[in-house]
Amino acid sequence: MVKLVVFVMVVAVAKSLGNKCDVPPEFWCGSEKVARHCQVTEQCHRFYEPNADKVRFALYYESMCPGCRDFFRTQLTKTFTALKDIMDLTLVPYGNAWEKKDASGRWNFTCQHGEDECVGNLIETCAIHLLKNISIYFPFISCIEHDEFGTPQFSAKKCAKQQGIDLQPIMDCSTSSLGNSLLHQMALKTEALNPPHEYVPWVTLNGVHTEDIQKKAEGDLTALVCDTYKGSSKPAACNKKTGLHHSRRKL
């Protein structure tokens, strides 16, 4: 019913402007090419785009995992940079860690790649919480994940300087009870996955994980997000073909 009303509105506006396109009206908003040919691009965008939800994509990872870093480098950073207008991205830095509460009520975390990884998870979790805006914290976290040779503390210092971010509040958070509680929330999000994660990086698309989605995300995340998005107007990156790549998973 909604689509019918929108279609009628597009046709009405176009005809009021004297549009006499040789393509039947029902096809006008079917593609960018036809919309341009019939001179109704603006009308199609105006009436159709507000009804398109962003593609929800979540990455469950850990800060020093080689496969996770590979996914940032080869897929996530370029895709989110190009498609952030149609992509709702969630980062969950916890992965294959585990936690245990001590007598004081504080959570003790053990991470797959050692203590530095726990520190990295805490830094990135605090950055997400304190910086709030993904346009600010994503480049910072992406920069850390691109740096394969430094400790998380060293990478964070370097990346904060590059991004113009005040690092001290983030580092203070990472050693505080707040940071401890925030990472526990990341643990709960990870443990709530259905099906449970079996490796990292682990992804969900609009809340769903399948091996097919995982494979497509690792091979060409841009194409996956573009194909999933239902809006009539897609970013220019959706018209470009990218090469396939498979990230290294770490069980």
Side-chain angles (χ1 to χ4, degrees):
M1 181 64 181
V2 174
K3 289 185 177 181
L4 177 60
V5 172
V6 171
F7 165 69
V8 170
M9 293 172 70
V10 170
V11 173
V13 171
K15 287 188 174 180
S16 71
L17 298 175
N19 189 303
K20 297 181 179 180
C21 181
D22 56 354
V23 177
E26 60 265 30
F27 298 111
W28 285 358
C29 295
S31 72
E32 283 287 311
K33 183 176 180 180
V34 173
R36 286 195 299 269
H37 173 72
C38 293
Q39 300 180 356
V40 292
T41 303
E42 181 182 348
Q43 289 82 5
C44 289
H45 289 182
R46 185 192 312 163
F47 292 119
Y48 276 90
E49 282 190 0
N51 298 317
D53 294 328
K54 287 187 175 183
V55 177
R56 290 182 291 112
F57 185 83
L59 173 66
Y60 297 79
Y61 69 105
E62 52 199 23
S63 66
M64 296 185 70
C65 159
C68 301
R69 288 176 165 178
D70 192 47
F71 188 74
F72 267 91
R73 287 197 313 271
T74 63
Q75 299 297 335
L76 187 60
T77 300
K78 66 180 181 181
T79 296
F80 183 68
T81 300
L83 304 181
K84 59 185 176 182
D85 289 341
I86 66 169
M87 193 174 176
D88 182 2
L89 175 63
T90 298
L91 299 178
V92 186
Y94 186 77
N96 295 328
W98 64 95
E99 61 178 2
K100 184 177 181 180
K101 185 181 286 189
D102 63 21
S104 70
R106 185 179 179 86
W107 293 98
N108 292 318
F109 301 101
T110 303
C111 296
Q112 181 167 281
H113 299 95
E115 183 61 27
D116 276 347
E117 181 164 83
C118 288
V119 173
N121 290 345
L122 280 160
I123 290 172
E124 295 184 15
T125 295
C126 285
I128 292 169
H129 176 75
L130 295 177
L131 299 177
K132 300 185 186 306
N133 187 336
I134 194 168
S135 295
I136 299 174
Y137 70 71
F138 180 80
F140 173 65
I141 291 175
S142 176
C143 177
I144 294 174
E145 292 302 317
H146 275 68
D147 188 358
E148 291 190 275
F149 304 106
T151 65
Q153 299 96 315
F154 177 82
S155 298
K157 183 177 181 180
K158 180 173 66 175
C159 293
K161 184 176 181 179
Q162 289 179 5
Q163 300 294 326
I165 290 170
D166 183 1
L167 182 61
Q168 194 57 52
I170 296 173
M171 298 307 295
D172 290 344
C173 169
S174 71
T175 58
S176 70
S177 58
L178 173 60
N180 189 263
S181 176
L182 291 172
L183 192 57
H184 171 59
Q185 294 303 313
M186 293 298 187
L188 294 180
K189 288 181 180 180
T190 304
E191 292 164 4
L193 283 167
N194 184 20
H197 85 286
E198 299 174 5
Y199 47 79
V200 287
W202 183 270
V203 308
T204 64
L205 182 71
N206 290 334
V208 176
H209 174 89
T210 66
E211 281 301 300
D212 184 57
I213 288 172
Q214 184 78 31
K215 182 178 179 181
K216 288 179 178 177
E218 292 178 351
D220 192 338
L221 180 59
T222 298
L224 176 62
V225 174
C226 289
D227 290 345
T228 304
Y229 183 60
K230 303 303 181 184
S232 59
S233 179
K234 298 183 180 182
C238 291
N239 298 322
K240 300 177 182 178
K241 294 187 180 294
T242 58
L244 295 179
H245 174 88
H246 295 286
S247 84
R248 295 169 290 166
R249 298 177 183 175
K250 183 70 176 180
L251 298 177

